[in-house]
Amino acid sequence: MRENRSHLSEPARQSFAVLGAAMMALSILPVLSGHWLVPVFCLMAIGGLVFALEQHARSKPDGEVLEIAHGTIRHRDARGQASHMPCLFAKLDAQAPTPSSLRLILRSPNASVEIGRCLGLEERQALVPVIAAALAQGRR
């Protein structure tokens, strides 16, 4: 499982340029009345947004490895922490505290591990039946 890192498309980049131009155009009136810091802060805000987007695009996406085979479950998260549990008594617990969030937790009598932290809500929802089927097959 890997975090979705789709790059900004050309229309999205153009919309950021239009947003920046609109911010600068709207800062003309305060400049005419003597408030020179308004365009400076607008430029700093636009520069900060562009810098953050570029740093995010360059950073390594988070990922997890979940393997269900030969009666065991192996999980390794983005920080490198690994966990193993037997597949026989393991179950998938899908907790939805709010409609916009979903936590997937694999539980066994001796351990529990949260999976899919790097995924979006729709991806987690699609993952529930896949993992449930893999657990059922791993128990056989």
Side-chain angles (χ1 to χ4, degrees), residues 31-106:
V31 168
L32 293 176
S33 52
H35 302 286
W36 289 95
L37 290 179
V38 173
V40 172
F41 285 119
C42 285
L43 284 174
M44 287 174 49
I46 294 167
L49 177 63
V50 169
F51 178 75
L53 288 172
E54 291 299 321
Q55 290 300 316
H56 181 71
R58 287 188 186 133
S59 66
K60 182 182 175 190
D62 286 340
E64 298 179 35
V65 176
L66 179 66
E67 182 181 336
I68 302 173
H70 307 295
T72 61
I73 301 170
R74 293 184 201 100
H75 178 263
R76 188 175 63 245
D77 63 8
R79 296 176 299 228
Q81 295 177 343
S83 61
H84 303 279
M85 63 179 73
C87 195
L88 185 61
F89 299 112
K91 68 174 189 158
L92 179 65
D93 187 14
Q95 300 175 350
T98 64
S100 62
S101 68
L102 177 66
R103 293 180 64 199
L104 302 177
I105 301 174
L106 278 173

